[in-house]
Each structure stands twice: as C-alpha cells, then as structure tokens.
Amino acid sequence: LKPKLPDALGLTSDSCGQPSVTQPSATAIQIIYAGCQGFMVNLTYELAHDWHFVTKHLALCRKSSSGDCDPAAGFTVRHVNVWPGLQLKDSKLGAMASNPFAPDVFGDTWAQGSQSTASFWRKGDSKAGLFVSVQSPFFDSAEGFGAFRWGSEKERWGSINYGAWQLGAVIDKSRVHSADVENTLNLQASSAKAGSDVALLLEKGGTEVDIAVTLLEGFASMPVVKPLPDGYAGILFGASATSATVAGNATVDGYAAVVSLSAGKQKARLLQLNGPLTSDPKILAEANVNVSSEVPVRIAVHVTMKTAVMSIDDTTVLSADLQGNLNSGVGLLVLHQDVSFCNFSTTADTADSPLVQKDAVLHGHYAPMMKQVPSLGTWHQADSGILGITKLSGKEFPETGIDLGEQMAFTQCVEHFLLDKEMRKSGAVRLHVAWDSNEYQLDMSKPEHREEYKRLIHRNNQLGIKHQIFEPRNTAVSSRWQHTDAWWWEEVLWFQMGIGLRNGSWQPSQPLPPTVQEMMAAFKQEHISPVAYVYPTLAWRAEGEDEWLYDSPNREDGDLGKRASLASPKLQNYLIKIMNSFLNVTGGSGFAWDYGIQGDTRVANLYAEVRGWLRILGALREANPGMVMDHRQIAHRFNAWYHLAGSYSEPIAGDENPESYGAELACLSTDHILADNLRLTNYRYRLQLLPNDRVPGFMFHQTERHFDNGTGDDSAGKPGDKIDSDGNALWKPDPFPDPHTGNYSGVAYSNAVMRQRWHVRDFDYLGYRYSVMSTIGTAGRNLVVANIPARDTEEYDKFPAEDIHWMRKWFDWADVHSAELRRTMPLLGYEFPRLGRADGTVAVANEAGFIFLYNPSPDEASATLRVDESLSLTDKGGSWLFSEIYPQEDGMPLGIWTWADLVTFKVAGGSARIVELKPWTQNYPIAFNVSYTSIKTSSGSISISGASGLTGSSAEVVVYQPASISGISINGHSHSGKAVNCKKPLSGSCVQATVSFNGPPSLRRNARAMPGQEAAITVTSAMLAQLEDRQALYNVTWKPEDLDASWLVPSRLLLYLYVARPTPTLADPIVLIDNEAAKIVRQYNSRGNHAVVPAGGGAASGDTARTFLGWYIDCSKLKPDVKHDVSIKFSWADADRKAHPFLGLFWQNIEDAFTSDLTLKDSDMAVFV
C-alpha cells in the first residue's frame, strides 16, 4: 500500500502466552489468550452434531488498563491468518475453487487472493479428503492461484497465477469455445490484475522436445481486451517456476517463444526469463510478424540442447542459441494481455510437474485493512474459518478438477449458514422483475397507467408469483431532474419515494402519497408482495453524513459529486433502521439492490465496504425472515459466503437487455436465446460453488429497452446530448411537463425508452416453455420471471388459460420437488450449452430425482449417461425406472437400468426433455416407450388407456407384468405382439407390440426442411392448419410493427437459414424458390435496434451486432402439399464459410403434435402370444 504503513503488531499463539480453555457448550471449545501485547484474543472452535466440518472463530479486543476489553478503543485489522498452517500427512492439493466471474469485471481493482473460494486436499488413493475455506469473499489459500490437474488420467499438473482459466473448454462471458480433441487443454488466460503474470507449467521436458499451442487473442464479433504494447503470449520451455502467493508474483527461470499482438507492433520473440515475468527478459531473437488477432495462430517450438527454432502456422520465423542450462519444464505464459490457448501438445514426459510445490500445509487468510471503531462493538469478529471432510466420487468438473463429492461437501456446508432456511421451507422464491416489462414507461400519477400496472399484478397472481419488483415512474411524487445517480433512475427507487428518502424530505413515519397508497392496496388485494428497487450508496443526507459521504466526481455538480460509503458504521445503522421502517410502513417484502456497493477512495480495499454491506443484509434478514433480496450489479463477482443473508445472486450475471449478452447460439426465439445464456451462467455459478438455494433463475426475457432507431450516445447523459437519426434531441431539456404529452421526466433513462410505448407487446408464446424448463432445471429454487403477457391488452385478455395453468403447475412442481432441486448438479460431459451438443443437469436426493436435458442446436442431439455417482446415485446394487415427464407430461416409461449401465437420451432440436428416475422396488405391470394414463390387468390381459404419441409416428411398446400375458388392448383396440426376453432386473413376461399413431408426420418442432443448398421443400396442409388453430387460440390482432420480432405472430410459417455464429457483416444469402428470388429477412434479438454497428461505435457501443440471429423467409403463402424447388447461394469468402457454417433450413413455429388415435392394421384385430 502507498504510503507505507507503520509497523503492525503480529499476534500469534506463541506471542500471546498461556491460554485458558473452556467448553461453553456441547458444540464449542473456547480458548482465551488474555496477554497478547495489549489485546485479548478469543478463539472458538465449533462442531455441531450434524456437521461434516468444524468452524474456527477469531475475535479480538484492545484491553484497558484494568485488563478488561476497552469499549472506547479503536484499532485496524490488517491481516488475518485464520489457518496459519496445518501440516497434512501423505496429502496433496487436489483442486482449487476459483471465482470464474472475478477477472471478467474487476480487472486491476480486484484484490489479490479474492478469486479463491476453497482449496481441496486429498490423501493418496483414499476416497476421503478435506476442504479449507474462510467465510470471506477475500479468502486466499496461498497455494498458487488455480492449481489444477488435467489429462485423461488427471496425471498432469498446472498452476496459473492471477488469471481465469477453463479446462476442456474456454468460456468468456457468453461465448463457449469447445476443445477440438478430447483431453487437450483449452485455456482462457484473463488477467485479474493489470500488469501481472499468468504462467503455467504443465510437463517435464527433456533435452529435445517439441511444443505447440493454438493462440487466439480475440473474436471477430466479440473482441477481448487488447494487449498492452509490452504484452505477449506463448510457450515456456527449459523452465522452472515457483507459484504465486499473496505476497508476490510467480517466478520463472527459463525460455519462451512468444508473439505480441499489439496493434502495429506485432513481433515474434525468443526470450530468456529470470525471475518475475514483469522483469525485463533478455531478447535472444525477434522478428516482425503480421498475424490476425481474430483468427487462431499456431505457435510451435523445437528445442534441442543448444538451440530453439520457433514457427508460426508451420513457417519458421526465428531461431536462437540457448544460453545457460536447460531446466525441465514446458508450458504456457501470458503477460499484459488476454488470450485463449487451445490444443496444447508436447513430446515432453508426462511426469511430475516442474512447478516447485510447497509442503502439504493448509493455509487460509485474508487482508481486511479494516478499522474497528467503537460503534461496531468492543470485539472485532474475524471471518470464520471452515475445515471440512469430503467424500470423493471419482467424478470431476472438467474445468476445475473439483470432485462432485467435494463440490457437494462444500455447498452443503454453506447451506448450514444460509439465513433464509425457514423461508425456504415454503418453497422456491417466486419473483417478477417488472422492469423487464419496461414498466418504467408507466407513470403512476396517471389513472390509466395505474390500471395498466394492475394488470401486471393480477397476472402475477394468476401465475402464482409471490413477489414483484415495483419501480414505475410517478411524476406526482418524484422528478428525474432531482436524481443523484449517474443512471438517471433515482425517481423510481423505493416505490418512487427514494429521492425524498435520500434528501430527508420524506420519512417512513409520514403518510404515503395517495397514488402510492393505491398501488400498495392493489398489491395487497392480489396477495402479491411489492419489492423496492434501491441504490444503497447514493448521497444520503442525515445525521452522521460527515462520516459516510465522500467526494465522487460525476457528470454534474451538486449531490452527484458525493456518494455514501458502506464502510461507515453510522451509515450501516442508518440504512438498517430506514429499510426496516420502510418495509413496515409500505408492506413491502424486500429489496432489489443495484448500483454497486463500492467506491470509497478513503479505504484501503473493498473489504470494509463489503463487510459493512453484509452487516446490513444480515440485520435486515434477522428483522424480516421472509423477505426477498434481488442482487444486481456486482453480486455475481463474489463467492458463496457473500450470499448468506440474500436470496440469490445476479440473474444471468449481468444486465438482461439483449445487447448485453448477445446471441452466441442463434435462434429465432428470444426466450431460447436467454435460456441458453442462463444455463451457461448457472454452470459458472456452480463452478463458483454457489449452493442451489442461491443460483438465480431467469425465465422469459427483458423487453428491448433501447429506442427504435438505434442511434445516439449516452456518454454524458445531460439534457440535449441524445439525438435521433434526424438530429432531433431525444432528451427533453425542460424540467416541466410537456403541455401536449404531459411528460414530466424526459424521454429516456440512459438508453431506455420512457415516453413511447414501444415493445409493450413482446411475449414469446412458443419459446416460453423452454425458458421455464431451463430455469427449473438449473435454478429451481429461485423462479425469477422477466416480461409477462400483461401490459398489452390483447396479450393480457387473449393469453390462453391453459398456458397460465401450465406455468403455475410447473412452478408448484418445483416446490413439491424442492428436496431434489436443492441437489441440482451439472451432467458431466454435458455441462453447458454448445452447438451440436446436448447439455443438462441432474437433481437427485435419496436415490430418486430428475434429469433435465436441453438442446440449443437445430438438429437432434443425444446424451449418453452412466448410472453411477455422476447422477448423484450411491446404491451400487440398485435398479432405477427412468420415465419421461416432459414433453410427454402424462409420463412415458423408458426402461429400467442398474448400476454402471449406459443410457442414451435423444433430445429434439431446440427442445427440452425431463426424465424422472426412481428406485425400482416393486413388480407391477408397466408399458415402456409409450405415454399413457393407466394400465390394468384382468386374467392375464393388459389394458392400456390414454396412450398417446407423436402424430404419424410408430413406437415399439414393451409391456411387462410379473405373470403371463394373454392379450394387449391399447386405447380400446386389441394389438398383436410377440414375446421377448425381459431385461434384467425384470422377471416375468414381456411382450413387444408396434403401435402406430394417426396424423401427419410433418408436425414436428424445428423440423429440417432441407439439408443442403439445393433440394425441394413441402408445406403441408397440416402445418398451415396448426398455424390457423394457434391464431384462433391466441387471437391477438397482430400489427405491422410486431413483424419486427420473429418470436411474435406465431401463426407465421418461417423458414430459418441456420448459420452458426451469424454476423451482420455477412452478405445476405440468395434464395430462389421455384426459380424466383425469395424475400430474405434479417433478424435481430434487439427490436428496432438493427444497425450494423462497428465495434466501439454507434448504438450500444457496438453490442447491437451481437444480437444478430441470421435470416429467415416467411413461407406462410406457399402453396401447400406440392414440392417447391429451393436453391441457396452464399457469396462469402472461404474463411467466412468456415467460421459461419450453414447447417440447413429449418421450419419454425411448427410444434410437436400428439394424438391418441391409433392406426390399426388387420393383424391388430387379434392377439396371439
């Protein structure tokens, strides 16, 4: 720290004299050190009867002259070593749990060590192990940041310092870059500290070795941080290293073959390294190069005893004589830039790592730099240490090497400390984020707007939603021109009372304005609890402000130059009091936090502010056990210990406007795109070791907030600085109501439309079920809902009752199965969405539960699973019945499998599938491979009722009963069959019968219309009839502006040209239908915001281009039941074709159709078995 701090006291057990030891309770041992250089230290270990871990609590106070604690004394706690070193015998570091979000956002403001969550230790080949952690977002284990094992047998070691990394696949925000070859290393090195190093040593080398790696600095549609001029990345060889610690960087001695991708200064270099990477290396040879920063670059080096030869993309660029001795290590390194490494290969020995390993000693510490002042109490309570036992399953997360048993042990440990356990007994959190319906366009001063808002509340009542964030405008109460936030949103905070509450002109002891009272009564009448939107660090004016206000220059003078510090004990006490009073007066049920919690330049690091904030949250939860807390802005950056008092972390770990997360996996359904992003984000939360009660759901989507023309810039945010495409100001400079529109508060918040009712109709009728299932399968304990069909009168009035019932049924289902959903885990091998692969989760408790499968790709995909620990099962002698419960919701038994069996499940393109598994313990009649409602037996005859299947399909139905079978009747019709051998563990009679269902086979979701670039397509009458029936059911009067969204007007028959990772810079394909040019429509996931935006300029800072979904053709008017010749031509360069492959034409808006009508044959009239 600068300036240098004065010397500090170091309090250790050796320097504190003889302690006194007592046992204050059956679960605790207390050790008091009374003679610690003027301090008293209280050390308490606790172990409860149902814990698989022990806690260690440290507290200290400054002693008075009388020997007691001095309540008036203050001091600063700089460093706390909770686990100062526990020696482990015959054990070694197994894996490190790092925070995958911290490096993305914090950059050089993120404190050393704060990526760590826990370290896991293993003892030889034993199935037992340990984990160590500290209940702090700033925990550091000092074991080298992110040590991991990799390779098919996990025999290789690597260590990364100050970086984010993924093993098996690269994930950068919403993008996923899968490994090309199994068991190769894909790594994203994203420096968490500006100017620090990332170094990996992966193998022992030899006197002659070849090493190669593919380096990717950026992506055409999503560039990453550009390298600094002295940055480089490449291959280590002849090297040895020491791992980083909290006190210093890693050191590397050896050689490197690197490239620098700094614009205009691209060079290839052979370097000799000595010490920290930040020290100047010796350049042995260098050459100018010209390589792309958006196309993979293959670097290779051939090393002998005396020389090194470097090549790029198989072309030799450098050679040099090696000076000095060669060490044994080979690996990778990065300095001052972000890159991805893929497909590392080497001829080096796969032996022990050349990384200099520390002794097997547990460490756990953090550096709070926190002032303990009298108002916080006499004792400083340090963050508690955790030492727990693990049971290894042998199944590991591919990115981290953490065993499933280790992950379960840690998250179940965290669950013991969650402060909302009682509330959770009633079921999942159900909350509607109403700003995702753009409800800030509504002004509660207007009666018609209040009535429109009441539709949102009533629709939530129908859906079974229990909480709703309430943050529309109310110009009768507050004005945006009095805002003190940089986002211009303060007028909607605290049920529109936030400005008055912040400046002291309104207190909760005063009456609420009539318009606010009316809306609070509306919530109460509908049994929905309102949740207030709150920014905790605004410039609060109250007694004690001299302690908490600090200078924070912003866009305007006055209060915008001040913010409040959560490190202030006085502010903490003030907010606890005012927030509790507010909830009591308004009847609110919680808060949605935003705008950050940090920024005080007077504190040494974030710790004091974070700790102050957690103190506030804990006090609120204690006073309001049933409240909900929706965390935003930076919540996702903190590990599990941050979330003990809250409800869940930040949904999708960022802003939910379409431009914010892009469309890596393109689809014409906006709900599908967000659902795929949700599942990727929630997998990262599980890498963060977040317990399931804190993993956030997010279903449906945020309605587009941006103004339609997609132009303008909000860098300043002052009246008059935003213009439309015609040069007219979008900001309203006059702070008085417009006499024509009555608009009092301007046109927009940042880029959010206020005055215009744009995008009010926006519900994705055909995509919402996939979205619901994505939330239940990855975050079934937090059912967070975005835009609902309510504000638009036709969406509200004509939304089918059967769809409302369906949503509420599955919300209730999540509550019924809360025990299983609390144990949700990723399916190993299918962890997150990617093109051409299924992904999913498993939720099992007590040997029973569910498998959730998803397919984000247009074609069918499958997942092959092993019945073992990877499905959270433990009974090696058990048998399980697997049955589909979605999309065939009456249930469809699929088979009975035993331990270690392999089971393959197919998932249709763009679909979800849920499979229930439960122990098979009884012998009773059952039919496999068909959905039905009942099965009965009579004198050996089997009668199946309510059987259904896809129209035009056939199924090989296998019927089992313990006794012999004399006949089969399905839906009242006799069927012929043949006896077959029953699969173990079934013991009895099995008969197989072919069952065919009536109806057209063309009614299939995401059906492929044609595979290549030339073929014939057919639109069937049945397809058009389904579209007509849908329009009759959901009879909205569609308008021309609705056609801008491919997910609206679901009565259209759309033909989707599926191109992987499409970008708007590509030329439109040329499509001929029956030799006539078809109209090609470009589709974006951002309504009205369709400009092709260059990176770094234009609307939304270039993010609009990320929302491009590709092209479709409206085929609603094509003549049915005849073939139409189709040809497609792409005028793209070969590189573009390779980067954006065309996968085929697919029908959109056609859904699977099921029927109970059977196709009967003569042979089905009698049964002979």
Side-chain angles (χ1 to χ4, degrees), residues 419-430 466-467 589 621 624-629 646-647 781-782:
L419 300 182
D420 63 345
K421 290 192 287 289
E422 287 301 315
M423 172 193 179
R424 292 280 175 172
K425 291 179 180 178
S426 64
V429 171
R430 303 188 192 185
K466 301 175 183 178
H467 308 273
S589 64
R621 175 65 66 190
N624 308 276
M627 73 179 296
V628 297
M629 301 188 198
S647 296
R781 299 287 288 151
N782 293 296

Side-chain angles (χ1 to χ4, degrees), residues 869-885:
E869 297 95 339
S870 63
L871 299 183
S872 300
L873 301 172
T874 60
D875 183 4
K876 294 186 177 181
S879 303
W880 291 268
L881 169 64
F882 289 69
S883 302
E884 177 183 299
I885 62 169

Side-chain angles (χ1 to χ4, degrees), residues 33 53 115 200 209 259 316 328 382 405 452 498 545 686 737 814 896 1143:
Y33 293 89
F53 54 88
Q115 289 185 68
L200 293 98
V209 67
V259 295
T316 300
S328 62
E452 181 175 334
E545 66 180 57
R686 290 188 168 88
I896 298 171
L1143 302 185

Side-chain angles (χ1 to χ4, degrees), residues 422-490:
E422 287 301 315
M423 172 193 179
R424 292 280 175 172
K425 291 179 180 178
S426 64
V429 171
R430 303 188 192 185
L431 179 139
H432 175 214
V433 183
W435 68 61
D436 290 323
S437 292
N438 287 359
E439 37 102 82
Y440 45 78
Q441 295 175 348
L442 299 177
D443 184 349
M444 295 298 96
S445 71
K446 300 177 180 179
E448 66 274 18
H449 284 196
R450 294 197 297 276
E451 292 308 308
E452 181 175 334
Y453 201 98
K454 291 174 185 178
R455 291 203 298 270
L456 283 167
I457 302 173
H458 182 64
R459 179 52 41 90
N460 280 326
N461 174 287
Q462 293 177 314
L463 296 176
I465 300 298
K466 301 175 183 178
H467 308 273
Q468 179 178 337
I469 297 175
F470 177 62
E471 53 99 60
R473 294 178 294 130
N474 190 335
T475 55
V477 175
S478 59
S479 166
R480 71 167 312 182
W481 301 105
Q482 296 175 355
H483 76 99
T484 61
D485 65 312
W487 296 350
W488 293 59
W489 285 75
E490 191 181 3

